[in-house]
Amino acid sequence: MTTQPVPQHAPDRAVPGHGERAARIDADEHGTPEGRMRDTPSGVVDTPRLTVAAVARRLGIAPATLRTWDRRYGLGPSAHTPGAHRRYGAADIARLELMQQALLQGATPAEAARHALAATLPEVGAGRPVGVPGTGAAEPGAGVGGPLLLAGHPTDDELDLGARVRVGGRVLRLPGASRRARGVGRAALSMDAPAVRRLVDEGIEADGLIRTWNDVVRPVLCAVAERWESSGAGVEIEHLVSEAVTAVYGARSLAAARPVPDARPILLAGSPGEWHHLPLAVLGAVLAERRVAYRPLGPNLPLDALVAAVRRTAPAAVVLWAQGAATADPGLFAALPRTRPRFRSFAAGPGWTDAALPARTGRLGSLTSAADELTDLALITHKN
């Protein structure tokens, strides 16, 4: 269960002059209006059209990405006057939003583009298009409730995204990652915490707590760590993903059935000075699902507080997490008090890899093995 974590869109500007027919929306790079209200033949005022720069800000992506989508997939302005700046109308933007949501669900760019182009859009002013997540529309595969199921054979773009996720020129390397992991990667790079939470929660519903951690969350965190090691950037991404995942797994813990009555708990704590505790939150959710009593003591727990907790709870086991060698002090286990009945001690996290642990102190490796060993221990100690 080791990880390697490291250490919304810009709001549209207010539209001035609401009573004016030619309302200024924003200024492009040349200082010219980005769109103007126009009278249609029926006398209805049409929606203003926005430049590439304005739409990119609205969606939170790079202008170059929009131009790529236009060039490769035909998702550009539907009406373009030669010699004039390219401007996107309401229907154009709606299709781009559909594509962006499909990408966050793990679709490849080619699949997402086909999905967006095939969607039936209402007339301008009739509301959000059918199939846009959040509308409650019943279009198959397009809602928030489940992953997109988009047909299509692998393309160069799909194979490329098996290795890299790009948002606005930034990159996360995710070799062999699942669609949902790629979606979480895109959401993370866009700093879209609600999308991260939604995708992780959908993964848990479909595949369970352990598989979602191994196949969705860990690859993204490792990719963020790799990005930080190579560029020194990305701490904010790791924090956002960690907080989002902690919230989802914490909610699962709260919703789980009550633990087995009168069972001795498992204490989960971060070593003194250790602030990484996401894997413990994930482990706690798995134990809760199995009705194993546990006590989450959080990160950076002082030794005297850990000793007090052991004396007060008579636990079945104590698990100490250390992300780095600096917080992996084997003397912590030797300082724990003796209790009757006795408890088992376990070291978890990559920080303990080269540490010489005291006798009777176990090592927890993967999330699966940790959950299985602690569950078995809880059952044995409860019977005794």
Side-chain angles (χ1 to χ4, degrees), residues 311-355:
R311 286 175 173 158
R312 294 177 64 181
T313 60
V318 174
V319 178
L320 283 182
W321 175 270
Q323 181 71 24
T327 58
D329 179 7
L332 295 170
F333 294 105
L336 295 180
R338 292 181 177 272
T339 62
R340 290 195 179 276
R342 300 182 68 176
F343 61 87
R344 289 287 309 279
S345 298
F346 292 95
W352 301 103
T353 301
D354 298 324

Side-chain angles (χ1 to χ4, degrees), residues 30-204:
H30 300 289
T32 58
E34 289 193 353
R36 293 184 180 279
M37 298 291 188
R38 298 175 299 154
D39 285 343
T40 64
S42 61
V44 177
V45 178
D46 195 6
T47 305
R49 294 182 173 273
L50 304 181
T51 63
V52 171
V55 175
R57 286 196 297 272
R58 176 169 177 165
L59 298 179
I61 61 179
T65 300
L66 277 181
R67 296 186 180 98
T68 298
W69 290 357
D70 182 12
R71 185 176 66 255
R72 290 187 181 180
Y73 311 116
L75 279 166
S78 55
H80 175 53
T81 303
H85 289 291
R86 302 176 65 82
R87 302 188 187 280
Y88 291 77
D92 303 325
I93 296 171
R95 292 195 188 279
L96 292 173
E97 289 175 340
L98 276 174
M99 179 163 183
Q100 188 177 47
Q101 291 294 334
L103 288 172
L104 290 177
Q105 293 283 358
T108 67
E111 290 173 331
R114 286 195 294 271
H115 169 65
L117 290 170
T120 301
L121 303 180
E123 296 297 326
V124 173
R128 293 178 64 86
V130 174
V132 174
T135 64
E139 181 176 324
V144 175
L148 287 168
L149 301 176
L150 302 175
H153 297 289
T155 63
D156 290 341
D157 293 295
E158 182 173 356
L159 297 176
D160 180 67
L161 281 173
R164 293 184 295 277
V165 166
R166 295 179 180 272
V167 175
R170 295 164 294 175
V171 175
L172 282 183
R173 300 187 181 278
L174 291 166
S178 66
R179 291 171 181 256
R180 189 170 281 114
R182 297 201 302 266
V184 171
R186 292 187 183 95
L189 285 174
S190 297
M191 299 297 287
D192 190 345
V196 173
R197 291 194 296 268
R198 184 180 70 248
L199 291 169
V200 172
D201 198 53
E202 289 173 357
I204 293 173

Side-chain angles (χ1 to χ4, degrees), residues 198-347:
R198 184 180 70 248
L199 291 169
V200 172
D201 198 53
E202 289 173 357
I204 293 173
E205 283 292 328
D207 301 319
L209 296 166
I210 293 178
R211 186 172 175 183
T212 298
W213 169 256
N214 288 329
D215 295 351
V216 177
V217 179
R218 283 194 67 242
V220 173
L221 288 175
C222 290
V224 173
E226 179 184 344
R227 184 170 184 264
W228 176 78
E229 290 173 355
S230 63
S231 67
V235 174
E236 73 286 357
I237 301 172
E238 187 270 336
H239 281 219
L240 180 137
V241 174
S242 295
E243 290 300 316
V245 173
T246 298
V248 173
Y249 276 82
R252 293 282 170 164
S253 298
L254 292 174
R258 295 177 63 86
V260 175
D262 302 323
R264 295 167 60 197
I266 310 292
L267 300 187
L268 306 179
S271 298
E274 179 57 68
W275 289 99
H276 289 94
H277 68 291
L278 171 59
L280 290 182
V282 174
L283 176 58
V286 176
L287 294 177
E289 184 181 60
R290 299 181 179 189
R291 299 191 65 196
V292 175
Y294 78 99
R295 301 290 183 270
L297 301 180
N300 188 30
L301 186 69
L303 177 58
D304 57 349
L306 177 60
V307 169
V310 169
R311 286 175 173 158
R312 294 177 64 181
T313 60
V318 174
V319 178
L320 283 182
W321 175 270
Q323 181 71 24
T327 58
D329 179 7
L332 295 170
F333 294 105
L336 295 180
R338 292 181 177 272
T339 62
R340 290 195 179 276
R342 300 182 68 176
F343 61 87
R344 289 287 309 279
S345 298
F346 292 95

